[in-house]
Amino acid sequence: MKLGERLQAPADFVPEGSRVADIGTDHGYLAVELVQSGRAKFVVASDKNAGPYEAAVRTVRENGLTDDVISVRLGDGLQSLEPGEVDTVCIAGMGGALMIEILEGAPKVVNELTTLILQPQGAAAELRQWLYKKHWYIEDESLVLDDGRIYEIIKAKRGRHKMPEPLLLEIGPVLWKKKPPLLRHHIEALLFQERRVAAGMEKSEKARKSKKYQAVIRHIKELGEHLSW
């Protein structure tokens, strides 16, 4: 099974021989690829909605795989897992705030994990900050362009590390260090969002005089400065 760039990038971050939970598995494509490639020896493919769950069951069966290598489950977040059942969790296709909620909702499961592979669609800075606060650190990051959209992939490992500065939490501390080809595109996308915020505030004289507006303008300047390296 050939995955698109959006799912192949998290798959590439999974440590060899892992026991993995694919949360929000949708059609089960990532789970099947991890097993067929030999990267994972066991995968729990979990989704909270019946439609994606049933689609994942079909995908697993069509690829001739059995429950002892891919266990498809209907469950919300990490609630379908037992502590110690897996060592790696992949979560993609949802916002960073929801990812935090999912991870905080199952502390006994999370305490037994060694690796988190996360692909947040929004609130990435908040997610990175949460990871460092909870004694995880970002070991690696990547960017992929799929169907005209940039996706960030974060690989976190357990350990106490110094919290990166706020701007690097937004850009991605390892992305800034590695400077992949898509980094400029990524920063430009962040700039576009901030400029939209500023443009909206500029319509109001009260907003233009606020400390929040000044902070947005400073932020735009800092992001712009990070386009030159």
Side-chain angles (χ1 to χ4, degrees):
M1 178 177 293
K2 182 170 175 57
L3 298 178
E5 289 286 337
R6 185 180 72 83
L7 289 179
Q8 187 60 53
D12 290 341
F13 273 167
V14 172
E16 293 283 348
S18 297
R19 297 177 63 85
V20 183
D22 175 24
I23 304 302
T25 191
D26 196 1
H27 285 71
Y29 297 143
L30 177 59
V32 169
E33 166 61 20
L34 290 173
V35 169
Q36 289 184 335
S37 67
R39 189 168 284 274
K41 56 186 178 182
F42 173 73
V43 180
V44 174
S46 178
D47 205 289
K48 71 174 184 176
N49 296 312
Y53 162 79
E54 290 164 2
V57 169
R58 287 194 299 271
T59 300
V60 171
R61 286 177 180 167
E62 287 166 1
N63 282 272
L65 298 169
T66 56
D67 288 347
D68 60 329
V69 287
I70 298 182
S71 174
V72 184
R73 301 178 188 177
L74 187 63
D76 190 0
L78 302 178
Q79 302 304 319
S80 62
L81 297 171
E82 294 295 328
E85 193 173 13
V86 300
D87 50 60
T88 300
V89 161
C90 294
I91 312 178
M94 61 188 77
L98 180 54
M99 291 182 178
I100 292 171
E101 185 179 318
I102 287 171
L103 293 167
E104 288 189 334
K108 291 181 180 178
V109 173
V110 173
N111 286 344
E112 299 296 323
L113 300 175
T114 60
T115 307
L116 296 173
I117 299 168
L118 309 169
Q119 190 185 76
Q121 295 183 13
E126 290 85 347
L127 178 60
R128 290 186 179 100
Q129 184 181 53
W130 182 89
L131 289 169
Y132 280 89
K133 282 184 175 179
K134 298 296 181 178
H135 306 145
W136 294 83
Y137 71 96
I138 298 173
E139 182 184 69
D140 206 353
E141 294 178 295
S142 65
L143 295 169
V144 295
L145 183 63
D146 193 340
D147 198 23
R149 176 172 179 171
I150 287 275
Y151 292 90
E152 304 172 62
I153 304 91
I154 299 166
K155 179 180 182 180
K157 303 289 283 187
R158 192 174 296 283
R160 294 171 182 258
H161 282 240
K162 183 181 178 182
M163 178 83 71
E165 62 180 84
L167 196 65
L168 292 187
L169 288 173
E170 186 175 8
I171 293 171
V174 179
L175 292 175
W176 180 247
K177 184 178 180 180
K178 290 168 60 175
K179 296 185 173 55
L182 287 171
L183 181 61
R184 194 176 300 277
H185 190 157
H186 173 50
I187 296 175
E188 286 172 348
L190 295 173
L191 266 169
F192 177 76
Q193 294 171 8
E194 286 300 292
R195 285 170 177 154
R196 283 184 62 183
V197 172
M201 297 182 76
E202 284 163 5
K203 296 175 183 177
S204 162
E205 183 178 354
K206 182 179 179 181
R208 287 198 306 272
K209 292 180 178 178
S210 68
K211 290 182 179 179
K212 183 178 178 181
Y213 177 74
Q214 296 302 320
V216 169
I217 295 302
R218 285 195 302 272
H219 190 204
I220 290 171
K221 182 173 182 288
E222 290 173 349
L223 281 170
E225 289 169 350
H226 281 67
L227 280 173
S228 301
W229 65 77

